[in-house]
Amino acid sequence: MPRSSAVRLSHFLPSLVLLLAGLAAAYVKDLNVFFTSLFNVLPTLVLLLGGAYCAVYRRQRELFLMITVYIAYFLLDTQTDFYRDNGKVRDDAAVVFHLVCLLLPLLFGLFAAWQERTHLFQDMVARFAVLLIFGSVALALEQSFPQALLLWLSEIRWPALHGAWMSLIQLSYPVFIAAFVLLAWQYWRHPRPLHAAQLVGLLGVFWMLPKTFILPFTLNIMCSQVMLMIAAAVAHEAYQMAFRDELTGLPGRRALNERMQRLGRNYVLAMSDVDHFKKFNDTHGHDVGDQVLRLVASKLSKISGGGRAYRYGGEEFALVFAGKTIEECMPHLEVIRESIANYSIQLRNPDSRPQDDQQGRQRRAGAGASSVSVTVSIGVAERIEQRTPEEVLKSADQALYNAKGAGRNCVIAYGQNRRGAVRMEAAAG
């Protein structure tokens, strides 16, 4: 998955929008009856719809994250309803609130970092068992030793670290910090929309808890938003699975097919293929072959002139130029072809791999490394008269075949003969 700033922003953007919307809604005063009624049912509605969505996609981790948030909402909502109706808190309000402040970030971080690695049913049983154990122990302590538990939770253990701004029990802060560091590390290692949503959701929970008894409907709104973040992340990843190629990070063939239906009257399509890829793959191995495909995809993704790259399949890539003519596109295709051809890939001997990073840095460009390069052939076709996108793509594929026959590492337009292609390649060199 590419790790550019734009991609990372796209991971966080939906969750940040939901978080800001929740913050704005929480500070709105004098809500009318419609919004008051909506906020009362919104968390349950989000859980039912989002939970069903997660269940359909067999996303156990996300489902239990939503269940954890909803249990916390239910426990605190009971307290806030009593407070609004009677003007005072229940006798067990403090101990319940402190337990939620401690267990919610703990379980949220645990379930967020717990990836599905076993059979789905076994995974579900294990997660349910963890939730049941924590809930049962907390309930038993709260029912049997409420005062002792309250004193233990509210005790200030590190006076030097306690600030006047702290509105939660001191124990909850290290738990929040540990959960945030864990989830930040998870996102850094595996950048995904879900991991971004978990981070933003944890921030929303951290903001929400101190405002539970202060701002009306803060609990309802923010719990709903956090669950929506998780559901939206599942939808985002489902979209990526369907429309984005996992190896290269480029949009896949399904995305190309959809884009081709919205190209308008004037456009150019190009087909690109890695030269001698099978031989290269057999010689250097599939890992190096994958590295080559990622390199070519990275170069093609930077195509100028308004082009957009797609993974067509195997070692083939498609390039789409909407609203362009073939004369406008050819210089940009030549630039990208030359950029790929001039790039050297460093290969190390797998039998003499360095034992540590320091040796690796010393030997990276030394005798233990060899350099190889790859080239691509490109065929280009332009829409003329009433041709369909599929016909234009077929013509580009025919031009690609001609480029292969012309000696490879060249760009050929549909209808251009091989001799002209050879001359073009020589002129470009």
Side-chain angles (χ1 to χ4, degrees):
M1 182 180 294
R3 300 189 179 188
S4 65
S5 299
V7 172
R8 290 181 183 272
L9 178 60
S10 71
H11 290 170
F12 282 95
L13 190 58
S15 298
L16 288 174
V17 170
L18 287 170
L19 177 64
L20 293 176
L23 294 177
Y27 282 102
V28 173
K29 297 182 179 179
D30 301 325
L31 293 170
N32 59 34
V33 177
F34 171 77
F35 284 104
T36 301
S37 303
L38 176 64
F39 291 150
N40 280 326
V41 301
L42 189 59
T44 303
L45 184 63
V46 172
L47 176 68
L48 292 176
L49 296 179
Y53 186 69
C54 292
V56 167
Y57 281 95
R58 298 184 178 182
R59 304 292 287 265
Q60 311 261 44
R61 172 165 50 164
E62 295 82 349
L63 176 60
F64 274 85
L65 276 173
M66 297 177 71
I67 292 175
T68 300
V69 173
Y70 187 82
I71 290 175
Y73 157 75
F74 177 79
L75 293 173
L76 294 181
D77 186 58
T78 303
Q79 302 291 338
T80 56
D81 283 346
F82 184 90
Y83 177 74
R84 280 195 294 264
D85 294 341
N86 299 279
K88 62 179 182 179
V89 297
R90 284 175 35 165
D91 294 338
D92 62 345
V95 67
V96 170
F97 179 73
H98 293 337
L99 275 172
V100 171
C101 292
L102 179 64
L103 294 180
L104 178 55
L106 178 63
L107 290 172
F108 191 95
L110 175 63
F111 285 135
W114 184 349
Q115 300 183 19
E116 298 94 340
R117 295 185 180 275
T118 59
H119 189 274
L120 286 176
F121 180 75
Q122 295 175 352
D123 184 82
M124 181 183 68
V125 171
R127 292 174 190 271
F128 182 76
V130 169
L131 195 61
L132 183 62
I133 290 171
F134 274 94
S136 300
V137 171
L139 179 62
L141 291 174
E142 190 273 332
Q143 292 292 321
S144 302
F145 313 101
Q147 292 303 318
L149 180 60
L150 180 59
L151 290 175
W152 184 83
L153 289 170
S154 58
E155 179 184 355
I156 299 177
R157 291 167 172 77
W158 310 285
L161 300 178
H162 194 76
W165 57 271
M166 292 183 176
S167 50
L168 302 177
I169 56 173
Q170 195 178 55
L171 278 176
S172 67
Y173 289 96
V175 176
F176 266 109
I177 293 173
F180 186 83
V181 170
L182 176 63
L183 299 187
W185 169 255
Q186 180 179 241
Y187 179 80
W188 183 80
R189 291 188 62 199
H190 305 288
R192 291 174 50 186
L194 171 63
H195 296 162
Q198 292 168 351
L199 272 172
V200 179
L202 187 64
L203 290 177
V205 169
F206 182 74
W207 175 87
M208 171 195 73
L209 288 173
K211 306 292 192 298
T212 298
F213 292 96
I214 299 174
L215 293 176
F217 299 107
T218 296
L219 180 69
N220 307 58
I221 294 170
M222 193 52 64
C223 285
S224 301
Q225 297 300 84
V226 171
M227 289 189 288
L228 279 174
M229 293 175 197
I230 297 168
V234 175
H236 191 171
E237 293 194 350
Y239 173 85
Q240 286 190 330
M241 290 173 63
F243 291 92
R244 190 166 292 274
D245 177 62
E246 184 177 3
L247 176 64
T248 64
L250 291 178
R253 189 164 179 175
R254 182 175 296 181
L256 172 65
N257 292 336
E258 288 206 354
R259 184 69 181 94
M260 286 170 58
Q261 307 308 314
R262 298 179 282 106
L263 285 175
R265 295 181 58 84
N266 301 311
Y267 56 86
V268 172
L269 299 180
M271 288 294 293
S272 174
D273 183 274
V274 181
D275 295 329
H276 302 295
F277 182 74
K278 185 179 186 302
K279 180 179 178 182
F280 186 92
N281 214 22
D282 293 340
T283 302
H284 299 287
H286 292 286
D287 290 341
V288 178
D290 289 347
Q291 181 184 347
V292 168
L293 292 178
R294 283 192 290 265
L295 164 67
V296 172
S298 175
K299 295 291 185 181
L300 293 177
S301 68
K302 298 179 177 63
I303 184 75
S304 55
R308 182 75 185 275
Y310 297 81
R311 174 85 182 276
Y312 190 76
E315 65 271 25
E316 288 188 312
F317 299 87
L319 294 158
V320 177
F321 295 85
K324 301 291 182 179
T325 64
I326 201 165
E327 290 78 11
E328 294 173 323
C329 299
M330 290 295 282
H332 301 286
L333 293 170
E334 284 289 348
V335 168
I336 206 69
R337 178 200 61 78
E338 186 176 358
S339 173
I340 294 172
N342 292 337
Y343 190 90
S344 296
I345 302 175
Q346 299 297 322
L347 300 178
R348 290 192 298 272
N349 184 353
D351 297 329
S352 59
R353 293 184 61 87
Q355 299 300 316
D356 53 44
D357 292 340
Q358 183 176 359
Q359 292 183 15
R361 286 191 295 269
Q362 292 173 350
R363 295 169 50 186
R364 190 143 320 201
S370 60
S371 174
V372 298
S373 61
V374 296
T375 61
V376 295
S377 301
I378 303 175
V380 196
E382 181 180 8
R383 179 192 181 276
I384 55 176
E385 299 178 355
Q386 300 299 319
R387 300 175 66 190
T388 66
E390 290 75 17
E391 291 174 329
V392 178
L393 191 66
K394 186 176 180 180
S395 298
D397 195 54
Q398 179 62 48
L400 172 62
Y401 177 79
N402 293 338
K404 294 286 188 180
R408 296 180 170 82
N409 190 25
C410 60
V411 182
I412 292 188
Y414 179 69
Q416 180 182 2
N417 60 37
R418 297 185 180 185
R419 186 179 300 275
V422 174
R423 287 199 301 269
M424 177 180 291
E425 182 186 1

